[in-house]
Amino acid sequence: ETGVTQTPRHLVMGMTNKKSLKCEQHLGHNAMYWYKQSAKKPLELMFVYNFKEQTENNSVPSRFSPECPNSSHLFLHLHTLQPEDSALYLCASSQETGTGELFFGEGSRLTVL
Amino acid sequence: GQNIDQPTEMTATEGAIVQINCTYQTSGFNGLFWYQQHAGEAPTFLSYNVLDGLEEKGRFSSFLSRSKGYSYLLLKELQMKDSASYLCAVPMDTGRRALTFGSGTRLQVQP
């Protein structure tokens, strides 16, 4: 148990569906992140939020829409995805101060048909 | 820009010692992280080095040479449960909080 909870753990969706991934952290951190992990590729940063404000959008297509209503919750809204978007989506959190260590959730395994 | 290189796969025997290397290029150094990730699970923090030298933590040690842009993770007395991917990471450009990760080294421990 890392203190970062992601739901759902597995998601299968068609290209015309709309779905959302949810992340909740119980660590009192004030920065939250979305990373994408595809097979045989490094973890790719997607979005960063600091104190609910988006501070990083790593050239992510608009079919991925993040939302951060407060410092403990982070969502990734998905619509009209492509099969190549199938991947493991990892949420992480960190403290604003300190080493910058990231605490990861278990991930949401997304399959786009 | 930033670049991190690690071997893709390694195999070692239970009870042995294995060294996983990582070379990196970054414009402003602010520490280096090692994470462990078992298949289907979250990456978990192993170590953080910001100064040159060896940091020991039980069976795991991590070494850093900033002048060479080089780090390694040393795993001693290997156990079957050490079979996992090991990810090397550095903070993104100075002032940014996120980490840039290498592709990871998948370690297979054999009996």
Side-chain angles (χ1 to χ4, degrees), chain B residues 47-87:
Chain B
S47 67
Y48 172 71
N49 294 67
V50 67
L51 299 176
D52 290 350
L54 188 68
E55 295 272 347
E56 297 187 69
K57 191 186 293 185
R59 294 190 299 114
F60 292 8
S61 303
S62 55
F63 172 83
L64 175 68
S65 169
R66 288 173 295 173
S67 62
K68 296 181 180 178
Y70 168 69
S71 174
Y72 67 73
L73 182 68
L74 193 70
L75 289 71
K76 302 176 186 176
E77 301 169 18
L78 280 173
Q79 301 175 10
M80 298 300 290
K81 67 178 182 179
D82 297 329
S83 294
S85 288
Y86 292 85
L87 311 177

Side-chain angles (χ1 to χ4, degrees), chain A residues 2 9 33 35 37 42-43 45 48 50 56 88 90 95-102 104-106, chain B residues 30 33 35 37 40-45 48 87 91-92 96-104 106:
Chain A
T2 65
R9 293 293 311 277
Y33 311 76
Y35 277 87
Q37 188 173 36
L43 280 157
L45 178 68
V48 181
N50 262 297
E56 191 87 35
L88 182 68
L90 289 162
Q95 265 295 14
E96 178 65 14
T97 56
T99 64
E101 177 189 346
L102 298 183
F104 284 91
E106 300 276 359
Chain B
N30 200 25
F33 295 82
Y35 280 80
Q37 186 178 24
E41 297 184 13
T44 54
F45 170 80
Y48 172 71
L87 311 177
M92 288 186 160
R96 300 164 68 182
R97 298 296 296 174
L99 300 182
T100 297
F101 286 84
S103 297
R106 190 164 66 185

Side-chain angles (χ1 to χ4, degrees), chain B residues 9-57:
Chain B
E9 292 185 356
M10 298 184 72
T11 301
T13 304
E14 193 174 14
I17 299 173
V18 71
Q19 178 175 311
I20 302 174
N21 296 323
C22 170
T23 57
Y24 65 88
Q25 294 172 314
T26 184
S27 56
F29 183 76
N30 200 25
L32 184 140
F33 295 82
W34 283 97
Y35 280 80
Q36 180 191 60
Q37 186 178 24
H38 286 100
E41 297 184 13
T44 54
F45 170 80
L46 286 177
S47 67
Y48 172 71
N49 294 67
V50 67
L51 299 176
D52 290 350
L54 188 68
E55 295 272 347
E56 297 187 69
K57 191 186 293 185

Side-chain angles (χ1 to χ4, degrees), chain A residues 7-8 13 35 93 101-103 106-107 109:
Chain A
T7 55
M13 59 187 289
Y35 277 87
S93 69
E101 177 189 346
L102 298 183
F103 292 77
E106 300 276 359
R109 172 71 62 185

Side-chain angles (χ1 to χ4, degrees), chain A residues 1-110:
Chain A
E1 181 59 49
T2 65
V4 181
T5 304
Q6 290 188 242
T7 55
R9 293 293 311 277
H10 300 273
L11 178 63
V12 179
M13 59 187 289
M15 290 191 285
T16 58
N17 293 159
K18 291 184 180 181
K19 298 286 185 182
S20 296
L21 306 181
K22 178 183 175 182
C23 176
E24 183 175 0
Q25 58 97 359
H26 310 276
L27 301 169
H29 292 164
N30 41 42
M32 296 188 76
Y33 311 76
W34 280 116
Y35 277 87
K36 176 183 178 183
Q37 188 173 36
S38 304
K40 304 194 177 185
K41 292 177 70 175
L43 280 157
E44 300 173 60
L45 178 68
M46 300 177 73
F47 302 104
V48 181
Y49 278 82
N50 262 297
F51 293 100
K52 304 186 299 178
E53 299 297 321
Q54 188 182 120
T55 57
E56 191 87 35
N57 177 335
N58 204 24
S59 303
V60 180
S62 59
R63 58 186 183 269
F64 295 91
S65 175
E67 179 189 1
C68 189
N70 54 61
S71 294
S72 299
H73 293 85
L74 185 64
F75 295 89
L76 189 63
H77 303 302
L78 316 169
H79 60 99
T80 59
L81 295 191
Q82 306 297 311
E84 60 264 29
D85 296 322
S86 298
L88 182 68
Y89 289 85
L90 289 162
C91 174
S93 69
S94 72
Q95 265 295 14
E96 178 65 14
T97 56
T99 64
E101 177 189 346
L102 298 183
F103 292 77
F104 284 91
E106 300 276 359
S108 293
R109 172 71 62 185
L110 173 67

